[in-house]
Amino acid sequence: MCRIERKSGEYKEGEEKRERRIEMGLKAMGGGGEARIDKLKSSMSRSRMKLWMIRATTSVLLWTCVVQLTALGDMWGPRVLKGWPSCFSQESSVNNAVSVPLVPTLVLPPKRVYKNNGYLMVSCNGGLNQMRAAICDMVAIARYLNVTLIVPELDKTSFWADPSEFQDIFDVDHFITSLRDEVRVLKELPPRLKKRVELGRVYSMPPISWSDISYYHDQILPLIRKYKVVHLNRTDARLANNGQPLMLQKLRCRVNFSALRFTSQIEELGRRVIKLLRQNGPFLVLHLRYEMDMLAFSGCTQGCNNEEVEELTRMRYAYPWWKEKIINSELKRKDGLCPLTPEETALTLSALDIDPNFQIYIAAGEIYGGERRMASLARAYPKLVRKETLLEPSDLRFFQNHSSQMAALDYLVSLESDIFVPTFDGNMAKVVEGHRRFLAFKKTILLDRGMLVNLIDQYNMGTLSWDEFSSAVKETHAYRMGNPTKRSVIPDRPKEEDYFYANPEECLPPSDESFSSMEALR
């Protein structure tokens, strides 16, 4: 380019000299020379104009080609955007090329094209896994109704008061792009509709629990078409477990097992915890649901002193949406409706011959009663660990006071454990159970709490020896290890049938001969 600029200057100077010689020659010719000079000047001016236009057009074409090459070539892009050097050597261009990293091309699924019937906003309620299942349901509903889904809003008013937004827990861009071949998902409404919602002009309602997809087609879709935007609140357990189109059942699984990916910060911390655990051998994750909120909600007070019973009762009355206030703890426990206590859990794990040297990772919040209640479990299994003991306080600084983000970390560790044992069938227990079933039926011990508390009481009273107690516990749980099984269907009683997310059989790997033999034994 240096040479080109120099030659261009020489060419311009030569043109000016030629013009002066021609003008002097015409003047020497005498009569009519001035007219000829003017005519010749005009002709030369037009020639220069044409030449200028050719140069300008050529420059535009060249820059157009460069821009096109920039869009097509990763190697060209950075160099063009930074500006070409006026003069550069071949060596410098090679060095620049080597320094540019090769970025793998992101392959996106083809965008699904459909006539948009309107927009669906949803507000989830409950803890992390309750909201997770609700999100899966709402994606399936949006797909069936051919509407645009707005990224769900998470619960911030529950007992945990977690202020986390969707993007604080889940990879929102992955969520949107991974589902683009099924449903259009936006981070927010278009401006005109957003303003209407901000002014409070939006149709909001809770859908009916355990509804068939036909309910959404017949009742909700007409509302979306009428109002353009419908807001559904309290979205947990709003789509029936069974009887739904196979396409929707598989989509619920796809959202749960693929689209709902945690943020890179949560994923990275989860990998660190798992690596630390693996360095010390196999580990069992114990979802010990013996936290203050669960005990107050359920009314289960086994092993609590009088002061603790009064505290839990006061808490139950403090939350008006916890409808059950007067609870018989002993009766509820015998019916298998209470989480196992830490003492009962220690006896159960020992009866199942869980190695005392096994690492036991406690996936839970603060255990009610603290060290006093955990003493028997710690004696039986001295390798008790938690995320707080494995990591430095600085590692968890950004997760403090964000219960859903802490639960997400426990979720990742639970998936990777050698054995998963929930002591209560809450939402995390169910969703993790189903995810582990999807991962080739990883071992999940599903405790029969009604049978267990009966056996434990007999053992404590001395009517059963240890060998008899252990043998009975093993026999009771022989086929409660996350084996392949049919999801139970109880017409007109959806709360009592198997939860879809605990056993999403439509999405699970084909069962082997053990499934048939197990069914025969039953």
Side-chain angles (χ1 to χ4, degrees), residues 63-135:
W63 277 109
T64 302
C65 293
V66 170
V67 170
Q68 292 295 325
L69 288 171
T70 301
L72 293 173
D74 289 334
M75 295 296 293
W76 289 81
R79 187 186 300 162
V80 172
L81 293 174
K82 291 176 183 176
W84 288 80
S86 59
C87 297
F88 63 92
S89 64
Q90 184 178 358
E91 182 181 356
S92 66
S93 71
V94 170
N95 290 337
N96 285 339
V98 171
S99 65
V100 177
L102 291 173
V103 180
T105 304
L106 178 63
V107 180
L108 299 177
K111 188 181 293 185
R112 178 169 172 258
V113 180
Y114 59 93
K115 181 183 177 182
N116 183 34
N117 288 318
Y119 296 85
L120 180 63
M121 298 175 63
V122 297
S123 293
C124 303
N125 59 293
L128 173 67
N129 293 285
Q130 192 172 337
M131 294 190 291
R132 184 187 185 103
I135 292 167

Side-chain angles (χ1 to χ4, degrees), residues 347-368:
L347 285 173
T348 301
L349 294 181
S350 297
L352 289 168
D353 288 342
I354 300 298
D355 191 336
N357 292 315
F358 237 68
Q359 297 174 95
I360 306 292
Y361 177 93
I362 305 296
E366 185 177 351
I367 302 303
Y368 192 63

Side-chain angles (χ1 to χ4, degrees), residues 324-449:
E324 193 177 13
K325 303 300 182 184
I326 301 174
I327 299 173
N328 185 325
S329 176
E330 185 61 27
L331 183 61
K332 201 165 188 179
R333 175 177 175 268
K334 288 187 177 299
D335 289 339
L337 301 176
C338 287
L340 291 186
T341 66
E343 297 88 353
E344 293 168 341
T345 302
L347 285 173
T348 301
L349 294 181
S350 297
L352 289 168
D353 288 342
I354 300 298
D355 191 336
N357 292 315
F358 237 68
Q359 297 174 95
I360 306 292
Y361 177 93
I362 305 296
E366 185 177 351
I367 302 303
Y368 192 63
E371 293 183 7
R372 176 177 65 84
R373 298 304 302 272
M374 291 292 289
S376 59
L377 185 59
R379 282 195 300 271
Y381 293 93
K383 293 184 178 180
L384 285 180
V385 294
R386 305 170 62 97
K387 50 187 171 291
E388 293 85 356
T389 60
L390 290 170
L391 299 169
E392 296 295 329
S394 58
D395 296 324
L396 293 170
R397 184 173 67 252
F398 295 108
F399 297 87
Q400 296 297 332
N401 302 319
H402 294 83
S403 60
S404 291
Q405 295 183 46
M406 296 287 263
L409 186 58
D410 283 341
Y411 186 96
L412 289 172
V413 180
S414 298
L415 287 185
E416 292 298 320
S417 63
D418 296 282
I419 307 173
F420 177 64
V421 183
T423 61
F424 189 69
D425 58 351
N427 287 288
M428 177 168 173
K430 292 175 181 177
V431 178
V432 170
E433 174 194 344
H435 205 151
R436 287 173 66 86
R437 285 180 180 275
F438 179 75
L439 298 173
F441 301 103
K442 285 189 172 184
K443 190 172 185 179
T444 302
I445 303 178
L446 306 172
L447 301 178
D448 185 337
R449 294 185 304 280

